Amino acid sequence: MTTPQIEQDGSRSRPPFAGSLGFLLMNLPLGIFAFVLFLTLFSVGLTTALIWVGLPITALAVLLSRGAARVERARVYALLDSYIPVPYRALPESSQKERWKARLKDGATWRDLAYFVLLFPLGVIQFSLVVTFWAVSLAFAGLPIYFRYLPEGAYYFPAYDADLRWITVDSTVEALPWAALGVLFIAVSVALTRSMAAGHVRFAAALLGPTRRMEEDGSPFPATPAMTTVAG
């Protein structure tokens, strides 16, 4: 067993399996909720801004998106062991009007929003792949156990047509090769789960973290301890 590589900021080079699986399954419901919430708030806020009613709605949407991004950074750290630094530029010590101008001019604000808009379609893809691969893997691996409890005491494929059955499994011996294939699929599913989680870490770091230009400029955003579970 090899020890996972730990980066300088405390992040793992490969996310843990259990955290990756939970994270990817959570992305779809969170993506739907965030997409509906922010699309509604920004649409209503911007379309009614001319009559001033939309200004507080837009302000609420901005604050919620930045707050949600902080929670998302903490979720990435807690489940995937990957730290994403705070990307926001320091607000000026002046009036609320100037502070709000700084928030709206900060590219990190709009990258937060882009992340939650894209989380919905990305969550659909991730959820579909994870559920499909694991359902097939576990179905094959457990076939020697549950085939006898199926209708007619056997597994048939396709099951909808009695005259067209390419595969029939009605004994433990016949189920064993499929169980071996299921074990192989489980290994593939584990690798796919961790790979998708690692890809999501890079996606989250690109939108929720500082840009390379900001890092090269010398960290114009507030510093945060690297090993806190509420990073962001």
Side-chain angles (χ1 to χ4, degrees):
M1 179 181 297
T2 59
T3 303
Q5 182 180 356
I6 307 298
E7 307 295 341
Q8 291 183 353
D9 59 8
S11 303
R12 281 192 181 188
S13 57
R14 295 186 63 197
F17 165 69
S20 299
L21 183 61
F23 187 92
L24 295 174
L25 292 176
M26 291 169 62
N27 281 349
L28 178 57
L30 289 177
I32 294 174
F33 176 78
F35 183 86
V36 173
L37 175 64
F38 292 120
L39 186 64
T40 301
L41 287 177
F42 274 101
S43 297
V44 174
L46 294 177
T47 54
T48 58
L50 293 178
I51 58 174
W52 301 101
V53 176
L55 294 182
I57 297 177
T58 304
L60 175 63
V62 169
L63 293 179
L64 284 178
S65 65
R66 288 169 71 114
R70 291 177 180 272
V71 175
E72 188 67 4
R73 292 186 200 97
R75 187 170 74 101
V76 170
Y77 185 84
L79 295 180
L80 304 182
D81 284 351
S82 295
Y83 170 70
I84 300 177
V86 182
Y88 308 120
R89 298 184 182 275
L91 297 178
E93 297 294 337
S94 56
S95 65
Q96 285 295 327
K97 181 179 179 180
E98 295 301 320
R99 293 170 69 87
W100 272 106
K101 284 183 178 179
R103 287 189 183 97
L104 295 177
K105 289 180 180 179
D106 191 348
T109 298
W110 305 108
R111 291 199 305 274
D112 289 347
L113 178 61
Y115 174 88
F116 289 109
V117 170
L118 295 175
L119 184 61
F120 172 44
L122 188 60
V124 171
I125 297 172
Q126 292 172 340
F127 187 90
S128 300
L129 288 174
V130 168
V131 170
T132 299
F133 270 81
W134 279 104
V136 172
S137 301
L138 296 177
F140 281 167
L143 191 58
I145 299 173
Y146 71 80
F147 79 89
R148 58 181 57 86
Y149 302 109
L150 297 175
E152 302 181 37
Y155 170 79
Y156 300 105
F157 180 84
Y160 57 83
D161 190 345
D163 298 325
L164 183 63
R165 289 176 173 174
W166 302 335
I167 300 173
T168 299
V169 177
D170 55 7
S171 69
T172 302
V173 174
E174 291 181 343
L176 288 179
W178 296 103
L181 183 61
V183 172
L184 176 61
F185 278 13
I186 288 176
V188 173
S189 299
V190 170
L192 177 67
T193 300
R194 297 184 71 174
S195 296
M196 285 197 296
H200 194 101
V201 168
R202 292 190 289 271
F203 166 71
L207 291 182
L208 299 181
T211 62
R212 182 172 300 179
R213 180 178 178 180
M214 294 174 68
E215 293 175 336
E216 292 174 351
D217 287 346
S219 183
F221 38 84
T224 303
M227 297 301 291
T228 175
T229 56
V230 293

